[in-house]
Amino acid sequence: MTERTGDDAQLVDRLRRGDPRAFEELVIAHQHRVFGVALRMLGSRAEAEEAAQEVFLRAHRAIADFRGDAKLSTWLYAIASRLCLNRLASSERRLAREGEETLARIPSSHPSPADELERSERDAALHRAIAELSDERRMVVVLRDLEGLSYEEIAAALDLELGTVRSRLHRARLDLKEKLERFLP
Amino acid sequence: MTCHDAREQLSALIDDALGAEERSAVEAHLATCAECRRELQRLRGTVALLRAIEPVRAPAGFVDRVLGAARPVPWPRRLFRALLLPWPVKLPVEAAAIVLVAVGVVYVFRTTPELQQASRFEATPPVATAPREIAPEPPSPDVNQKAVGTPEAARTQDKDQGPDQQAPEKRAPEKKVAPATRAFTQPGPQTKEAEQRGAKLDDASRDVAKRQKDVRPATPAEPQAAGKLEESRARSSAAPTPEPRADALQAQRPAATPPAVISLVPPDVSGRLAVTDPDAALQSLARLIARLGGVEDRRFVGDEGPIIELTIAREAYPELLRELAGIGRWQVTREAPALPEKVRIVLRITG
């Protein structure tokens, strides 16, 4: 959410003109965000990469549909969240997830030293708690607390009312709070 | 404001997403409620934990892979992918392809006269199945019209059809012979002959011997039937093309007219000549053909008796019919609507 809309407009213009370099810039600028959402939602790095790639390909094909009144990043989050939720909703995927906590297995990006055992335990509990959220609540928490989107941006990306975003986020946080009680002050 | 109402707003308070009024109302409640303050603290702690999570980074090489995937794929690969991958999704396409091939096969079969002819032989009345010189009566007028009259064309047909063409012929005597005519057939040797059809030249000479044996039922009084057919051929040497000896014949004929070829060339006229003495009838016929300036193309033994294939000028055809009536009871089974200049006739002599 750092880029200015002026930069977006320029990039979008170049994308619409078919400038191959513009697409590369788009991917470079947004790869971590898109991949992050996909990983938090889908749980497996391989599946997340596949989904993130698909997000950019769809954006590439549909750049004409992009309305200049939103940020490019919000638009990409919208594509990513739809794609992830659709994948999660597919029956195959639901079966695969039964009794499985895929997100709990996401490795911490830092190997934990021995004296950080508690932190490691806390991180594991945190990831597990996130993974156990319903898909819809998890999506809102990921966009708000991990990706830093505003309520309005989340509402735009997920095509929800602002009030729905607010209550859904609150429910998600309450769920997490209950599960992380012992790590809280 | 109740505790419940206040707690509902705590997330928004943390995110600074409350309107001024809402915010002051919540803050006023918190000032008086220790339990809700504690709740707020725990919720802040939860959000802090979430925001402390290390941001995820896309794997190395991700950008290149995306750019590679976005590059236009050459159309053959695109087609291949579209049709075959991923297979669970494309299975209907594969099924459609199989159906398409099946339809194609049926179409080709229906539009290819040779194949049709091959299959119609299944339904043909029993005909002689001598391997090389056979000229069975065509199965139906329909086929006759489609079939090609020249040996060249016929040879091509033969090549194209191979065993398919021969197989039905081979089966025909076994399958379709009516009980009444079965008495005249000799299934044993004929079946063997059929198996040898299309074989080497050496086999062909054996065929001749067998064929000559086949003459016996028609000529019971003649024990040395082997020599007889040759004799009768010699007698018919009045024809413009003198018949060579059997051995020489075997050497020459396959080159000019390969075995199954002849069976594919439909005659213009075919019919049965019912006689009391087939032997005498053969002699009369040979003389008649010679007199009318015709050519006896070939002679062999069918299921019911000798079969003669001859060519005669169109002008002489009426005369031939008249004379045939004198030799036996002539019954036409097929006659082309328009006779060519040279009329090809297949004449089957029955006892």
Side-chain angles (χ1 to χ4, degrees):
Chain A
M1 316 283 62
T2 51
E3 79 273 49
R4 297 193 309 276
T5 44
D7 295 344
D8 268 5
Q10 217 179 23
L11 188 58
V12 170
D13 271 355
R14 289 169 56 211
L15 281 168
R16 283 179 175 159
R17 285 201 304 270
D19 178 354
R21 180 75 197 146
F23 182 62
E24 188 178 352
E25 284 174 28
L26 176 82
V27 180
I28 290 171
H30 298 278
Q31 55 172 330
H32 303 305
R33 292 186 184 118
V34 172
F35 180 76
V37 171
L39 180 61
R40 297 297 173 198
M41 291 306 296
L42 301 173
S44 115
R45 293 186 78 84
E47 196 177 358
E49 174 165 353
E50 196 190 332
Q53 190 168 317
E54 180 63 24
V55 169
F56 284 110
L57 295 178
R58 286 190 189 184
H60 190 235
R61 285 195 296 265
I63 191 65
D65 300 341
F66 175 66
R67 301 192 312 268
D69 53 353
K71 281 184 187 173
L72 252 182
S73 60
T74 309
W75 184 57
L76 289 171
Y77 279 128
I79 299 174
S81 57
R82 248 195 321 271
L83 196 139
C84 290
L85 289 173
N86 283 343
R87 279 187 178 227
L88 291 166
S90 76
S91 53
E92 259 176 62
R93 171 80 200 192
R94 263 210 297 276
L95 282 175
R97 289 176 75 218
E98 256 174 36
E100 210 182 322
E101 295 164 11
T102 49
L103 280 176
R105 297 204 208 115
I106 296 174
S108 169
S109 48
H110 289 301
S112 308
D115 59 348
E116 287 186 350
L117 192 66
E118 194 193 329
R119 183 180 163 182
S120 147
E121 195 188 342
R122 191 193 63 199
D123 285 353
L126 180 58
H127 289 302
R128 192 162 49 242
I130 296 172
E132 284 170 0
L133 288 173
S134 72
D135 295 340
E136 289 177 338
R137 288 183 184 178
R138 185 163 74 253
M139 179 58 85
V140 177
V141 162
V142 167
L143 292 181
R144 173 67 198 148
D145 292 328
L146 276 66
E147 297 298 325
L149 270 68
S150 70
Y151 285 29
E152 290 76 14
E153 286 170 336
I154 296 170
L158 301 181
D159 198 18
L160 294 174
E161 293 295 325
L162 209 57
T164 311
V165 173
R166 204 155 126 173
S167 66
R168 203 175 274 182
L169 178 66
H170 186 59
R171 296 280 162 264
R173 282 171 176 174
L174 290 179
D175 283 354
L176 293 170
K177 179 178 69 74
E178 264 175 42
K179 286 179 178 162
L180 300 168
E181 203 79 59
R182 63 193 173 106
F183 302 106
L184 297 173
Chain B
M1 181 177 263
T2 63
C3 286
H4 178 266
D5 293 340
R7 288 184 186 189
E8 282 298 300
Q9 312 292 331
L10 291 182
S11 268
L13 182 71
I14 293 168
D15 291 328
D16 204 10
L18 288 177
E21 247 178 68
E22 282 175 314
R23 185 188 177 95
S24 53
V26 174
E27 281 174 347
H29 176 79
L30 285 171
T32 60
C33 182
E35 195 52 40
C36 283
R37 278 203 302 278
R38 186 170 154 64
E39 179 69 12
L40 174 66
Q41 201 181 359
R42 280 188 304 216
L43 203 59
R44 278 194 203 279
T46 306
V47 173
L49 284 177
L50 289 168
R51 293 184 179 172
I53 291 175
E54 290 277 336
V56 172
R57 294 188 67 79
F62 176 76
V63 176
D64 289 339
R65 288 194 286 277
V66 173
L67 296 179
R71 230 168 268 137
V73 181
W75 73 263
R77 208 181 307 163
R78 228 166 36 227
L79 183 70
F80 178 78
R81 280 189 199 165
L83 290 177
L84 301 176
L85 303 169
W87 70 266
V89 180
K90 302 296 180 183
L91 205 56
V93 176
E94 288 165 11
I98 290 167
V99 170
L100 196 68
V101 168
V103 168
V105 166
V106 171
Y107 177 78
V108 167
F109 175 79
R110 294 203 161 198
T111 52
T112 310
E114 292 86 351
L115 288 174
Q116 265 190 329
Q117 197 174 20
S119 72
R120 283 183 194 184
F121 268 102
E122 294 266 22
T124 310
V127 290
T129 52
R132 290 188 323 102
E133 295 161 303
I134 221 165
E137 218 169 293
S140 75
D142 198 16
V143 171
N144 289 332
Q145 281 158 7
K146 283 183 183 167
V148 192
T150 67
E152 278 303 319
R155 210 172 296 136
T156 316
Q157 286 176 345
D158 182 44
K159 225 182 289 166
D160 289 343
Q161 293 166 31
D164 281 357
Q165 173 59 43
Q166 295 168 3
E169 269 188 359
K170 201 193 296 183
R171 285 193 297 270
E174 298 159 19
K175 272 187 174 179
K176 307 288 182 182
V177 169
T181 56
R182 201 174 269 284
F184 295 95
T185 59
Q186 295 180 314
Q190 280 173 4
T191 308
K192 276 183 204 155
E193 281 177 9
E195 284 164 7
Q196 289 164 348
R197 189 177 308 132
K200 292 167 290 192
L201 294 184
D202 295 345
D203 294 342
S205 41
R206 248 180 289 148
D207 291 342
V208 167
K210 283 189 186 125
R211 221 175 300 126
Q212 288 166 346
K213 277 185 213 154
D214 289 346
V215 176
R216 274 184 215 165
T219 58
E222 180 57 72
Q224 290 185 335
K228 187 186 168 300
L229 193 66
E230 271 188 57
E231 280 174 28
S232 73
R233 277 199 182 128
R235 279 197 296 272
S236 69
S237 62
T241 357
E243 295 274 274
R245 280 182 51 80
D247 292 349
L249 197 73
Q250 305 313 325
Q252 287 173 4
R253 275 196 175 158
T257 50
V261 166
I262 298 132
S263 66
L264 286 176
V265 182
D268 303 303
V269 175
S270 58
R272 291 161 194 265
L273 185 64
V275 296
T276 45
D277 182 356
D279 210 21
L282 282 170
Q283 290 178 27
S284 310
L285 267 173
R287 283 194 296 272
L288 173 63
I289 292 164
R291 185 164 66 77
L292 295 175
V295 179
E296 181 181 322
D297 296 322
R298 47 189 72 80
R299 179 187 298 195
F300 52 91
V301 178
D303 293 340
E304 301 167 87
I307 295 177
I308 295 175
E309 196 178 310
L310 57 109
T311 306
I312 196 165
R314 187 168 50 204
E315 300 74 47
Y317 180 62
E319 171 72 9
L320 177 78
L321 290 186
R322 274 194 298 278
E323 293 294 327
L324 281 178
I327 298 171
R329 191 162 54 81
W330 171 239
Q331 189 188 356
V332 178
T333 52
R334 179 186 181 270
E335 190 176 282
L339 293 177
E341 210 166 302
K342 294 276 182 193
V343 184
R344 280 189 59 247
I345 301 165
V346 168
L347 203 150
R348 303 165 73 190
I349 296 173
T350 56

